[in-house]
Amino acid sequence: MLATDDPLILDLVEWVARGERSHADLMESWRTSCPRLTVWEDAIEHGYLARQGGLIAVTAKGWALLKTSGRRVA
């Protein structure tokens, strides 16, 4: 599951869960110039998010992460 030092991944998954997001929207909102900050790549690698066509979706594993973290997304 998610390490305790990865709160940004949890924030990203929650952000995607709150509304339909395109890949372009995600890249614009979560862009960084820091090569050590790989939130998007880590969320994909861990299986929390996936590309579906032109949209980004929360996976079953991502929904489970939100549930176990106590975050509520309607």
Side-chain angles (χ1 to χ4, degrees):
M1 202 41 78
L2 191 66
T4 56
D5 61 347
D6 291 335
L8 285 177
I9 293 173
L10 184 56
D11 289 346
L12 174 60
V13 175
E14 181 181 30
W15 181 77
V16 172
R18 292 193 180 277
E20 192 171 88
R21 311 292 182 178
S22 70
H23 183 262
D25 289 339
L26 186 139
M27 290 296 119
E28 178 65 26
S29 298
W30 286 83
R31 124 178 84 185
T32 178
S33 59
C34 178
R36 293 180 186 231
L37 189 59
T38 57
V39 177
W40 160 247
E41 292 85 354
D42 292 344
I44 291 289
E45 183 178 304
H46 289 299
Y48 301 133
L49 299 176
R51 292 184 195 192
Q52 293 181 345
L55 298 177
I56 305 303
V58 178
T59 64
K61 189 174 179 181
W63 286 110
L65 172 69
L66 291 173
K67 184 178 179 180
T68 60
S69 72
R71 302 224 183 166
R72 298 182 191 268
V73 179

